[in-house]
Amino acid sequence: MESIFITYRRLDSSSETGRIADRLQSNFGAESVFYDIDTIPLGIDFPTFISNQLDKTDIFLVVIGDNWLNVKDAEGNRRIDNPEDWVRIEVSAALARQNIPVIPVMVGESSNPPPKEQLPEELEDLADRNAIVLRSDSTFEGQIERLIEYIKDYFDENKKNNPVEGKQLLIGKDEDNVLMQTKPCLLYTSPSPRDKIHDRVCRLMLEKEGG
């Protein structure tokens, strides 16, 4: 299943992010859009949870408003300068992965991400990412449709490049009605009694497809 991760600051763009998330959920399903920290289970290690979530992420959106960079903590320091800031953790983790498009979504006056000199070193690559502008004005509908079409095209291209990913196979007897979502398969040279069910399915798929 395709997955979209949205990061934002509540004090910067809560209403705008909610509007964007609603449109994406209506097009791709609520289960395909992760965007609120409230959905993180209590007691979970935050960096580990985010890392696991990114393992399942196909598109990463960074919603940036006028105050995104300069939201301050109780001591008056920029939150983005704190290595434990959750937005910084999410964005830096996404930028470190080469297989996830990181898209700045500009909802304020600026049409571009913050410049490198205003960002922590680990976030500097964000300044070079091509952004989309989604302001709450008459241009919103056209721009959100542009973003939706881009995501659809990206998902379609991913499916073409990874044809095994997402195939569903019926395992066991028909009456068992057990459906398995397969993972990408490696080439197995010979059967083994120690094969797990995924290994046996992979071998079957590769043989069937001439692999």
Side-chain angles (χ1 to χ4, degrees), residues 58-180:
D58 299 289
I59 297 276
F60 189 92
L61 306 180
V62 188
V63 181
I64 302 175
D66 293 328
N67 298 316
W68 183 85
L69 191 65
N70 295 312
V71 170
K72 293 180 171 59
D73 60 22
E75 286 73 42
N77 302 309
R78 293 196 318 171
R79 289 186 179 177
I80 200 74
D81 293 324
N82 183 353
E84 296 183 359
D85 173 55
W86 57 271
V87 169
R88 176 171 169 172
I89 290 172
E90 292 173 343
V91 176
S92 62
L95 289 171
R97 296 173 185 244
Q98 302 299 315
N99 60 330
I100 302 177
V102 176
I103 305 173
V105 180
M106 311 304 299
V107 297
E109 291 299 318
S110 177
S111 300
N112 299 302
K116 291 184 178 182
E117 59 268 21
Q118 295 181 16
L119 293 166
E121 184 177 357
E122 66 201 68
L123 301 187
E124 287 182 355
D125 284 351
L126 184 64
D128 295 327
R129 301 300 172 111
N130 193 22
I132 184 168
V133 177
L134 275 178
R135 298 194 182 102
S136 297
D137 56 21
S138 59
T139 65
F140 179 83
E141 287 300 323
Q143 290 295 81
I144 191 66
E145 286 301 323
R146 178 185 165 210
L147 177 62
I148 289 169
E149 285 305 309
Y150 168 81
I151 294 174
K152 287 179 177 177
D153 290 345
Y154 183 83
F155 287 165
D156 289 343
E157 192 64 27
N158 261 3
K159 289 177 183 176
K160 291 177 185 176
N161 293 335
N162 302 284
V164 174
E165 185 76 43
K167 286 194 176 183
Q168 292 183 324
L169 295 180
L170 194 64
I171 308 301
K173 300 178 181 178
D174 291 343
E175 60 267 23
D176 292 338
N177 198 28
V178 180
L179 202 58
M180 175 180 174

